[in-house]
Amino acid sequence: MDIIFHHPTFNSQQWIEGLHQKLPEATVRQWLPGDNQPADYALVWHPPVEMLSGRSTLKGVFALGAGVDSILSQLQKHPEMLPKGVPLFRLEDTGMALQMQEYAVSQVLHWFRRFDDYQALKQQAKWEPLEDYRREDFTIGVLGAGVLGGKVAESLAAWGFPVRCWSRSKKDYLGITSYAGAEQLGQFLSGTRVLINLLPNTPQTVGIINSELLNKLADNSYVMNLARGVHLVEDDLLAALDSGKVKGAMLDVFAKEPLPQNSLLWKHPRIAITPHLAAVTRPEEAMTYIAKTIRQIENKESPSGQVSLDNGY
């Protein structure tokens, strides 16, 4: 069994050695330009077209992250990059769900306990106890209810908040109201006080968080974007913040990364920013998942995590 590996920033040797420990029967090598030798599996992030093109004998390609939009966008320009019939897999969890839960819960509690307001008062040297928010008035809506979105919604429901989710199809998460399809998006948004975005990046979701959507949220709402920067129309968010419709935002992803220094997002007092770290690939857990999935494929089983090229996730 031959495995090729490519990631522009990961430590290739760490992955090669780690995968060999979990799959001792496999030969793992870093792919380099000009390498056309046989391969059964490919582990990739932003792969060059020539790495995968023509490899019709591949049994699986693994994207080394929760999202596969970088590969799908390349396929739009170079449909020959992924030979027909070769399955594409994403990392379903591998520790990312827990990281997303930590991020979302900590920020929701920050807003709920009004720590943003107290920080603003601190800047003015004001000692002023504020009225508490009530949980029943702090409805949380999660856009995107896949593996990560579902886990985030469940973790927030455990804190007693009213939680709802919206996705392409209805979900059945305990204690969480599910909305689905374009016809129910307005119902989902009405009364939502905290909007958390965990949608996949597809042509249908680009620019979905715009002025029209933001205006349907509850007044003094909050926005957290943990998915992709292209989901958010940044100028529309700035306008909603300045009008008072949106009270605060927590942004981890951006249309351009790193975020340019001249971006107005840096300067807005009610926007908090982190550098795309809400959930990162943890090598040990990712390699365990990949090894398990490869063994399932070799045993003619049907592993989870395969991406629908039509749906984009």
Side-chain angles (χ1 to χ4, degrees):
M1 182 194 308
D2 294 301
I3 300 174
I4 50 177
F5 174 92
H6 171 81
H7 195 292
T9 61
F10 281 1
N11 183 326
S12 299
Q13 196 58 36
Q14 176 190 11
W15 280 76
I16 290 170
E17 293 174 0
L19 285 164
H20 184 66
Q21 289 177 3
K22 296 180 184 300
L23 291 168
E25 67 273 29
T27 299
V28 188
R29 69 181 188 271
Q30 180 183 3
W31 181 86
L32 296 172
D35 179 354
N36 296 314
Q37 295 302 306
D40 298 296
Y41 298 95
L43 280 54
V44 301
W45 191 249
H46 294 287
V49 173
E50 60 269 27
M51 178 183 179
L52 301 178
S53 182
R55 292 187 180 274
S56 57
T57 60
L58 283 172
K59 300 177 186 179
V61 174
F62 291 84
L64 297 173
V68 293
D69 41 293
S70 67
I71 293 178
L72 297 181
S73 62
Q74 284 179 291
L75 283 174
Q76 290 181 347
K77 299 176 184 177
H78 305 280
E80 76 283 0
M81 183 179 80
L82 188 66
K84 189 174 182 179
V86 174
L88 174 64
F89 295 89
R90 59 184 174 84
L91 302 185
E92 283 194 302
D93 185 345
T94 64
M96 292 184 188
L98 179 58
Q99 295 176 71
M100 285 290 190
Q101 287 174 322
E102 293 167 346
Y103 192 110
V105 169
S106 64
Q107 185 58 37
V108 168
L109 292 176
H110 180 87
W111 286 327
F112 179 67
R113 291 301 305 271
R114 305 195 66 170
F115 293 148
D116 54 333
D117 291 323
Y118 285 118
Q119 180 63 19
L121 290 172
K122 182 254 185 183
Q123 301 298 330
Q124 304 171 56
K126 282 189 177 181
W127 182 284
E128 182 182 340
L130 301 172
E131 183 179 357
D132 290 342
Y133 289 145
R134 301 189 309 167
R135 272 179 170 74
E136 55 265 37
D137 299 329
F138 220 73
T139 298
I140 299 165
V142 180
L143 272 175
V147 173
L148 296 180
K151 292 293 186 182
V152 166
E154 289 174 338
S155 67
L156 288 162
W159 282 87
F161 293 106
V163 180
R164 56 181 63 166
C165 66
W166 180 86
S167 55
R168 182 170 178 167
S169 58
K170 282 255 186 182
K171 305 298 181 184
D172 187 22
Y173 295 124
L174 184 63
I176 297 165
T177 305
S178 177
Y179 297 87
E183 65 278 5
Q184 291 192 333
L185 181 58
Q187 292 174 259
F188 164 81
L189 295 169
S190 179
T192 292
R193 185 72 182 277
V194 179
L195 182 73
I196 302 175
N197 178 40
L198 280 163
L199 284 168
N201 180 9
T202 69
Q204 293 75 33
T205 61
V206 171
I208 190 171
I209 306 176
N210 52 31
S211 58
E212 181 181 0
L213 180 147
L214 294 170
N215 285 332
K216 292 179 181 178
L217 295 172
D219 291 339
N220 293 310
S221 56
Y222 298 91
V223 174
M224 192 185 311
N225 191 12
L226 306 180
R228 287 292 184 266
V230 294
H231 290 139
L232 173 67
V233 180
E234 294 175 355
D235 287 345
D236 288 0
L237 174 63
L238 288 166
L241 285 161
D242 289 340
S243 72
K245 177 65 179 181
V246 173
K247 186 175 180 183
M250 184 79 196
L251 308 179
D252 184 58
V253 290
F254 306 89
K256 292 183 179 180
E257 295 183 1
L259 184 64
Q261 289 188 342
N262 62 354
S263 170
L264 295 178
L265 299 176
W266 285 116
K267 300 178 181 180
H268 202 287
R270 286 184 283 124
I271 294 177
I273 288 173
T274 51
H276 202 147
L277 50 68
V280 298
T281 301
R282 290 178 170 165
E284 183 64 27
E285 293 169 87
M287 286 187 276
T288 297
Y289 166 79
I290 291 168
K292 174 186 173 183
T293 303
I294 287 176
R295 286 213 164 91
Q296 289 175 319
I297 295 172
E298 291 293 310
N299 292 331
K300 309 300 181 185
E301 299 173 15
S302 299
S304 60
Q306 184 171 345
V307 175
S308 165
L309 300 183
D310 292 332
N311 293 340
Y313 55 89

